[in-house]
Amino acid sequence: MKIITWNVNSIRTRLPRCLALLERHSPDLLCLQETKVEDDKFPRQEIEAAGYQVEVFGQKTYNGVALLSKKPLENVQRGFPGNPIPEQARAIGATLDGVEVWNLYVVNGQALDSPKFPIKMAWLQGFFDWMQGERKPNQDLVVVGDFNIAPEDRDVHDPKKWSGKILCSDQEREKLQSFLDWGLTDLFRLHEAGDGHFTWWDYRAGAFPRGWGLRIDLMLGTASMIKRCRGVQIDREERKKTTGEGTPSDHAPVILELD
DNA sequence: ATGGTTGGTCGCCAA
């Protein structure tokens, strides 16, 4: 089974590239974040014509998540009980071939002294509390998406510059660590220990050609997923500008292959 | 220390 997570930064603007991605990788499941569209305006027909079923949880202008799958999804869940900001569409879960997948768009937080930072921490805690109460680490479970957290300094192009900044702070990393301590593993790190592997590059200041990236799009899985994990790849090509398909998202897709 | 781009929407906010 192949699962991709991608912060698409507007599904309507990115539709040609999204269709090309489906064609190129033929994933069983594509988890999208930042679709930025209300459910009745989601380009459902074009994606269904490509052979995918569509489950959306969106809102106007901001946020929005979606699951595109070849086969029907079971037990689709939009949001989670205890979410401190339920008006923001940031989480959708479903089961595919016995594997429960949660697709998250974690609050960015803006800056450590921003009012949005405690909301980020509360949202992560809210999801963790739900997961800890309602799920077990011995289940077949993956939690994927844009976490807006770089887990370690090796996930940051310039750790000194980013030290203590949003996406890299101790508080955020400790919150992510609570997910790992519960029983989830950063599946990318099973097969790659080195630095220089990023999934997001700021649109500004030519960050991508300069290599100024962070790895903030993650694939977390329980112990049974470790056994089934064949590898996790980052599709850096998708972040490059190409002719004819429009501009890239500021995030690269991340591809998980399970036995 | 700060830079400066993209998307949604149409004056800015968010990232």
Side-chain angles (χ1 to χ4, degrees):
Chain A
M1 174 158 59
K2 186 188 283 188
I3 301 173
I4 299 182
T5 180
W6 188 27
N7 182 320
V8 71
N9 189 13
S10 171
I11 185 58
R12 287 180 291 181
T13 293
R14 217 70 63 206
L15 182 61
R17 295 183 78 120
C18 183
L19 293 171
L21 184 84
L22 292 172
E23 180 82 20
R24 185 160 75 252
H25 294 293
S26 192
D28 297 287
L29 178 66
L30 174 57
C31 303
L32 296 173
Q33 305 91 38
E34 280 206 89
T35 52
K36 293 186 172 179
V37 67
E38 290 165 297
D39 292 352
D40 62 350
K41 296 193 176 81
F42 196 98
R44 174 182 291 272
Q45 290 180 343
E46 294 90 332
I47 290 162
E48 287 175 346
Y52 282 82
Q53 316 218 4
V54 178
E55 297 286 354
V56 291
F57 183 39
Q59 64 182 95
K60 191 177 180 182
T61 310
Y62 304 116
N63 310 316
V65 284
L67 297 170
L68 315 186
S69 64
K70 286 183 179 172
K71 297 203 293 184
L73 294 166
E74 300 164 45
N75 190 27
V76 178
Q77 302 160 82
R78 291 169 175 83
F80 54 90
N83 180 357
I85 42 168
E87 69 278 12
Q88 297 188 16
R90 294 179 175 274
I92 186 170
T95 300
L96 179 61
D97 286 339
V99 177
E100 183 170 357
V101 181
W102 275 91
N103 171 24
L104 307 184
Y105 175 49
V106 175
V107 177
N108 175 286
Q110 213 158 50
L112 265 64
D113 59 1
S114 164
K116 291 176 185 173
F117 185 72
I119 295 171
K120 177 179 196 173
M121 301 301 281
W123 191 88
L124 282 162
Q125 187 65 45
F127 183 79
F128 181 77
D129 288 343
W130 170 81
M131 181 176 70
Q132 191 173 44
E134 303 297 327
R135 297 294 182 268
K136 299 282 187 201
N138 65 1
Q139 293 180 270
D140 296 333
L141 172 67
V142 292
V143 182
V144 311
D146 178 359
F147 279 74
N148 271 316
I149 303 173
E152 301 177 45
D153 279 354
R154 61 180 165 164
D155 302 307
V156 181
H157 72 94
D158 187 344
K160 285 181 184 170
K161 176 182 166 182
W162 281 86
S163 177
K165 297 283 197 327
I166 195 73
L167 315 182
C168 300
S169 72
D170 289 344
Q171 297 102 301
E172 292 163 280
R173 287 175 173 177
E174 285 165 13
K175 192 65 71 182
L176 177 64
Q177 187 61 45
S178 66
F179 284 60
L180 306 183
D181 292 342
W182 176 78
L184 292 171
T185 295
D186 182 354
L187 298 174
F188 178 81
R189 286 304 182 192
L190 291 177
H191 303 109
E192 177 57 68
D195 60 15
H197 301 279
F198 310 129
T199 65
W200 169 79
W201 299 258
D202 200 307
Y203 278 129
R204 297 166 290 184
F208 181 72
R210 291 167 130 153
W212 293 355
L214 278 70
R215 190 173 69 91
I216 59 176
D217 299 271
L218 308 178
M219 296 277 197
L220 309 183
T222 53
S224 59
M225 298 295 101
I226 297 175
K227 290 181 187 160
R228 287 176 60 178
C229 181
R230 301 182 105 228
V232 178
Q233 311 295 330
I234 300 166
D235 183 3
R236 277 187 86 260
E237 292 299 308
E238 177 53 44
R239 182 61 179 80
K240 297 180 180 175
K241 287 189 187 297
T242 56
T243 54
E245 288 182 343
T247 52
S249 169
D250 47 350
H251 294 251
V254 181
I255 303 146
L256 166 65
E257 285 193 84
L258 296 171
D259 283 323

